[in-house]
Amino acid sequence: QVKHPVISLRFVFIFIVQMGEFKVHRVRFFDYMPSAIRAMVFSTRTERLALARADGALEIFNFSDNYFQEKVMYGPRRVAVEALCWVGPRLFSAGLNGEITEYDLENLRPRYTVEAYGGPIWTISVNSQGTLLAVGCEDGTVKMFEVLKERIQFQRNLDRQKGRIISLSWHPSGTLIAAGMMDMIRIFDAETGRATHRLLVDRGAGASKSKEVVVWSIAFLSDHTIISSDSAGKVQIWDGLNGTLIRTHLITKWDVLALSVSQDESSLVAGTSEGTVVQFQFISSTVDRLDKDWVRTRTFKNHSHDVRALAHTETAVVSGGMDTQLVVRPLLDKVEKNTRESAMRKVSFPHRSLVCCAKKAGLLLFQFPDHLELWRLGESDGYGKLGGSLPVKRGPEKLIQLKRKGEDHICCSALSPCGGWLAYSTVTSFRLYRLQNGSISICKVSKLPKDLLPAHQLCFSTNSSKLFASSSNSSVVVVALNELECKYLGTLKAKYGCRQPVHQLSASDNGKWLATANTDCEVHVYNLDKLKLHCTVPVYGSCPTAMAIHPTTSNLVVVHADQQIFEYSLVKKEYTEWSRRLQKQGLHSMWLERDTPITHVTFNPKNPAHIIVHDMFMFCIIDKSLPLPEAKNVLYNQMALRSLPEPDRVLHSHGFKICKDFQHLLCVSLLEDHSLVVVERPLLDIVSQLPAPVRQKKFAT
């Protein structure tokens, strides 16, 4: 093992029962750090959660499809989003740049922005009818915008106040709107724009008279109850008709930053800067009482720092904040215990690959929001014992750090298998570079075809002669590459009416096929010789998370968000016998209960029957020549299986060979010499990577 101030690389033999022996490059120097979560909003209509991060990225999770992160978008100029809002299937955001942005969810980019002309915007809210957007501004105005078919249009200002508007909530009738400010809450008549009530917020016992109280979040219920949370650590219940305080719950010494109410208004959750989430329920405080009250019932501690954003679904509490993790905490009184739905989930990393491996050149490309890093793998000498480390002859080497042009995020990137080409795309631009590995030089390709537009996904052919770039409406641009030029060959178009973005690309080793998958769960396969659609795989109701084409059989293996696996013959245009047998018998319950999606599929060239897959915590080789695991079998970790007596090992022998001795597994790739590259992210050390003021004061607002 070789140690370096910033890197560590180990060469290890890992022996897995009945799988054979692999030389493993265990890479742990991809220091990727997700950004803090600032805002989130859940749509009960589409069961989508939209999430905004501090670096300007937006993510959309499909809660009806095993919480899969189906889309990632990037806002303009890396401006942090302060608030999000769904209007039917449309997504809007507002931020401290003073603009409202609507997003194009098909092309994964901002559709347009509208200046509110009120200074920084702190909050955005829509009425229950979906016809009016209200934003709270720094200059003390609540501005109303009419939601039109294609745009939004300014309608009016409500009565201007002296302080900034921090939080907003509409009454379900759409006639009233409550605004949280400094030291007070204002209730407005939405039709006249007049302020009807002023509710003064107590600064709390022992609080400094000079320190204002910030009403961070507010909820306006159908019975005219108003619930507020503030910087004095209080959750307060108000009578919105009379403007009087009903009850105060002091839940922390620090800030209560977020509130969320269930759709039936029977449950409320509050997020604090201590990292806790407190639940209140509208129930009788004692058994013998018939009247109901808001009673504190549960406290969840799943975060290390500020909980900045909350969403209350029908069955779970969703929270996020400074520690970057999205936590889905099921409410056990709403789900059946000891089921898949009752398990808590933590989403730490994207459900897509940020690592690309040049199999023929032994190079790795790491994608960060603002730059790319190109690394050369190290080399070792000799052979060692199974499970042991090998001596390192040459350590890993960082060859290039390439900063993106402008201020837009890097959306996608790719490295050709030969290591000679590098491409990346932002929302507004596309870049292609020629690499010379011998001299470690990089040269930008200046003349690109005009059809090569900014892309969502990139992929090179196995022989590095073609580049595939997915663009709008599920189409893919095909470009030929050689030393002299970059030539446009054509555009692969899916069937008419297919509009969702492509999020998976896979090219066959023989250069004949290209498979694409979009977020409408459609998988299309193209003939690259004819540049035409070859077939469409029967649509399955869960989004594909990974896929690959077998190098010898031309069978397409697709894994979906619900953990189901299908194998489709591109020659016969039908599911294979093994795939039918797998679906007939069914996958093992322990396989289906995993809460992280498969993010990569590849094959073992030494054994055509081996399918290699991995998720965030598990690496598996599926041996199609062995029996499928039955319900009575246990999906042992292969390291644990080795310790069992021989009769037990034979008893539990089946085709799914799993290794769980990994943490944050980001990439598994097979090199040309048949050695495995395993890229892991070390355990998150959130505190050390936070800004200094936040490290010094843990509970920062």
Side-chain angles (χ1 to χ4, degrees):
Q1 182 173 348
V2 171
K3 291 191 175 180
H4 186 275
V6 295
I7 61 176
S8 176
L9 178 73
R10 290 192 296 169
F11 290 84
V12 185
F13 275 120
I14 291 183
F15 180 80
I16 303 175
V17 177
Q18 295 183 5
M19 288 201 303
E21 192 176 286
F22 285 96
K23 182 180 179 181
V24 178
H25 301 254
R26 201 160 183 177
V27 176
R28 291 175 175 170
F29 49 81
F30 180 31
D31 197 21
Y32 173 79
M33 183 67 181
S35 185
I37 295 173
R38 294 188 67 91
M40 66 174 68
V41 61
F42 181 72
S43 170
T44 55
R45 172 180 171 179
T46 62
E47 293 192 74
R48 286 344 190 247
L49 178 88
L51 176 153
R53 296 193 180 269
D55 63 358
L58 269 72
E59 302 165 8
I60 296 180
F61 292 82
N62 187 344
F63 274 37
S64 64
D65 195 11
N66 205 19
Y67 305 95
F68 179 58
Q69 185 194 64
E70 63 180 13
K71 296 179 182 179
V72 179
M73 295 178 293
Y74 301 98
R77 302 183 300 278
R78 289 176 58 90
V79 174
V81 170
E82 195 69 24
L84 291 169
C85 182
W86 286 108
V87 181
R90 299 164 67 180
L91 180 63
F92 292 85
S93 74
L96 300 185
N97 62 343
E99 295 177 344
I100 305 168
T101 302
E102 182 178 1
Y103 293 87
D104 184 343
L105 301 184
E106 294 175 354
N107 294 309
L108 304 183
R109 65 182 64 203
R111 177 171 287 162
Y112 62 86
T113 59
V114 174
E115 175 65 53
Y117 296 105
I121 300 174
W122 291 93
T123 180
I124 185 170
S125 183
V126 65
N127 63 356
S128 58
Q129 296 78 21
T131 57
L132 288 175
L133 273 178
V135 295
C137 300
E138 177 76 14
D139 67 354
T141 59
V142 176
K143 297 179 180 291
M144 311 286 275
F145 290 82
E146 184 181 1
V147 180
L148 305 177
K149 186 176 181 180
E150 297 295 333
R151 298 185 66 84
I152 59 172
Q153 180 175 294
F154 175 75
Q155 188 190 68
R156 64 183 304 171
N157 288 329
L158 304 189
D159 281 353
R160 186 170 182 171
Q161 307 300 305
K162 290 185 178 180
R164 63 170 68 107
I165 307 296
I166 301 295
S167 52
L168 288 174
S169 180
W170 286 83
H171 186 266
S173 66
T175 58
L176 298 172
I177 187 168
M181 303 171 60
M182 311 296 286
D183 287 334
M184 74 175 72
I185 298 169
R186 281 284 195 179
I187 302 176
F188 297 90
D189 185 315
E191 295 179 359
T192 65
R194 298 290 179 85
T196 60
H197 290 84
R198 185 180 70 161
L199 287 59
L200 296 179
V201 178
D202 184 14
R203 296 189 178 183
S208 171
K209 293 183 179 180
S210 62
K211 186 177 180 180
E212 293 179 306
V213 174
V214 184
V215 181
W216 285 117
S217 188
I218 196 167
F220 207 160
L221 307 186
S222 55
D223 64 355
H224 290 271
T225 296
I226 294 175
I227 304 176
S228 65
S229 68
D230 57 47
S231 59
K234 304 188 304 296
V235 172
Q236 294 189 304
I237 317 297
W238 305 81
D239 183 336
L241 291 175
N242 300 318
T244 57
L245 178 65
I246 299 174
R247 190 174 302 278
T248 296
H249 296 274
L250 182 63
I251 64 173
T252 177
K253 296 180 180 179
W254 307 94
D255 296 58
V256 185
L257 297 168
L259 290 176
S260 185
V261 181
S262 62
Q263 191 174 18
D264 62 2
E265 299 183 353
S266 66
S267 176
L268 163 80
V269 287
T272 75
S273 58
E274 292 177 296
T276 58
V277 175
V278 180
Q279 184 185 14
F280 296 84
Q281 290 178 280
F282 192 58
I283 56 177
S284 299
S285 56
T286 59
V287 177
D288 56 342
R289 291 188 62 175
L290 296 178
D291 58 323
K292 294 183 178 181
D293 197 359
W294 285 99
V295 179
R296 179 174 175 174
T297 55
R298 298 184 183 93
T299 299
F300 307 124
K301 177 65 175 175
N302 301 123
H303 296 275
S304 61
H305 287 72
D306 307 30
V307 177
R308 288 289 308 265
L310 285 172
H312 199 317
T313 71
E314 186 178 345
T315 60
V317 176
V318 189
S319 56
M322 289 292 294
D323 66 2
T324 78
Q325 296 185 107
L326 177 68
V327 177
V328 182
R329 180 69 182 251
L331 299 171
L332 296 183
D333 57 338
K334 300 291 186 180
V335 296
E336 186 179 344
K337 294 182 180 179
N338 300 322
T339 62
R340 184 179 182 178
E341 288 73 25
S342 66
M344 187 180 72
R345 296 166 182 259
K346 289 187 176 182
V347 181
S348 302
F349 291 96
H351 291 168
R352 59 194 176 94
S353 179
L354 298 174
V355 181
C356 189
C357 180
K359 300 179 181 181
K360 298 178 181 179
L363 301 177
L364 288 175
L365 181 68
F366 297 148
Q367 178 182 319
F368 295 86
D370 59 352
H371 72 278
L372 301 171
E373 290 182 3
L374 183 67
W375 288 77
R376 177 185 286 132
L377 290 169
E379 295 180 358
S380 67
D381 278 332
Y383 297 90
K385 296 180 180 180
L386 298 177
S389 298
L390 295 178
V392 176
K393 180 176 67 175
R394 178 178 57 81
E397 182 184 2
K398 184 177 178 180
L399 302 179
I400 293 171
Q401 178 167 313
L402 181 64
K403 288 191 174 183
R404 53 95 173 92
K405 299 294 184 181
E407 296 182 343
D408 292 326
H409 286 74
I410 296 176
C411 299
C412 57
S413 59
L415 183 65
S416 64
C418 70
W421 298 93
L422 186 154
Y424 78 86
S425 179
T426 68
V427 175
T428 57
S429 63
F430 185 93
R431 296 285 189 274
L432 179 65
Y433 295 88
R434 189 78 172 98
L435 301 176
Q436 298 292 338
N437 292 333
S439 58
I440 316 178
S441 65
I442 183 169
C443 178
K444 179 184 173 183
V445 179
S446 57
K447 293 184 179 180
L448 297 176
K450 62 179 181 180
D451 300 272
L452 197 55
L453 303 174
H456 312 314
Q457 287 292 320
L458 295 170
C459 173
F460 285 94
S461 61
T462 304
N463 62 4
S464 304
S465 65
K466 293 185 178 69
L467 171 64
F468 309 105
S470 66
S471 55
S472 60
N473 299 333
S474 290
S475 61
V476 178
V477 174
V478 184
V479 173
L481 305 172
N482 58 50
E483 294 286 348
L484 301 176
E485 61 178 347
C486 173
K487 183 181 178 182
Y488 170 74
L489 295 181
T491 300
L492 306 174
K493 295 184 178 180
K495 61 183 181 181
Y496 176 76
C498 187
R499 302 184 59 85
Q500 289 300 316
V502 168
H503 70 291
Q504 291 287 330
L505 285 173
S506 180
S508 63
D509 282 3
N510 60 11
K512 185 175 181 179
W513 311 110
L514 178 73
T516 70
N518 62 32
T519 52
D520 261 346
C521 307
E522 297 172 325
V523 177
H524 302 288
V525 181
Y526 298 91
N527 186 316
L528 294 177
D529 294 332
K530 301 178 181 178
L531 293 180
K532 290 184 178 180
L533 180 66
H534 172 70
C535 65
T536 298
V537 178
V539 176
Y540 178 67
S542 179
C543 199
T545 64
M547 62 183 185
I549 301 172
H550 197 283
T552 57
T553 64
S554 292
N555 291 339
L556 174 67
V557 175
V558 184
V559 188
H560 296 262
D562 64 356
Q563 312 296 355
Q564 292 290 338
I565 304 171
F566 295 91
E567 186 181 48
Y568 189 82
S569 171
L570 302 185
V571 177
K572 297 181 180 180
K573 297 184 181 181
E574 62 181 23
Y575 289 116
T576 65
E577 182 60 33
W578 179 83
S579 182
R580 296 178 189 276
R581 188 168 71 250
L582 179 65
Q583 292 303 311
K584 183 178 180 180
Q585 178 174 324
L587 285 160
H588 198 282
S589 59
M590 293 179 66
W591 177 272
L592 296 175
E593 288 167 3
R594 293 173 18 261
D595 60 1
T596 56
I598 296 295
T599 53
H600 188 67
V601 177
T602 189
F603 305 96
N604 182 3
K606 289 184 177 180
N607 192 330
H610 286 180
I611 303 172
I612 302 175
V613 301
H614 78 85
D615 62 14
M616 190 65 70
F617 303 104
M618 177 273 307
F619 166 77
C620 177
I621 292 184
I622 303 173
D623 191 340
K624 297 196 298 178
S625 65
L626 293 177
L628 297 170
E630 298 180 357
K632 64 181 180 181
N633 294 125
V634 178
L635 294 188
Y636 277 107
N637 183 355
Q638 295 299 302
M639 298 306 178
L641 190 60
R642 287 178 60 195
S643 64
L644 296 179
E646 181 65 26
D648 290 341
R649 289 206 298 267
V650 175
L651 178 65
H652 293 289
S653 176
H654 52 73
F656 279 58
K657 307 303 175 184
I658 294 173
C659 184
K660 297 181 180 179
D661 294 358
F662 300 101
Q663 57 189 24
H664 297 145
L665 194 56
L666 300 181
C667 177
V668 174
S669 188
L670 204 59
L671 297 181
E672 200 171 43
D673 63 359
H674 307 309
S675 61
L676 279 175
V677 176
V678 177
V679 181
E680 300 173 81
R681 172 61 164 85
L683 288 174
L684 284 175
D685 183 6
I686 302 297
V687 177
S688 67
Q689 301 199 39
L690 290 173
V694 181
R695 292 201 306 270
Q696 294 161 6
K697 181 185 177 185
K698 177 182 176 183
F699 308 123
T701 56

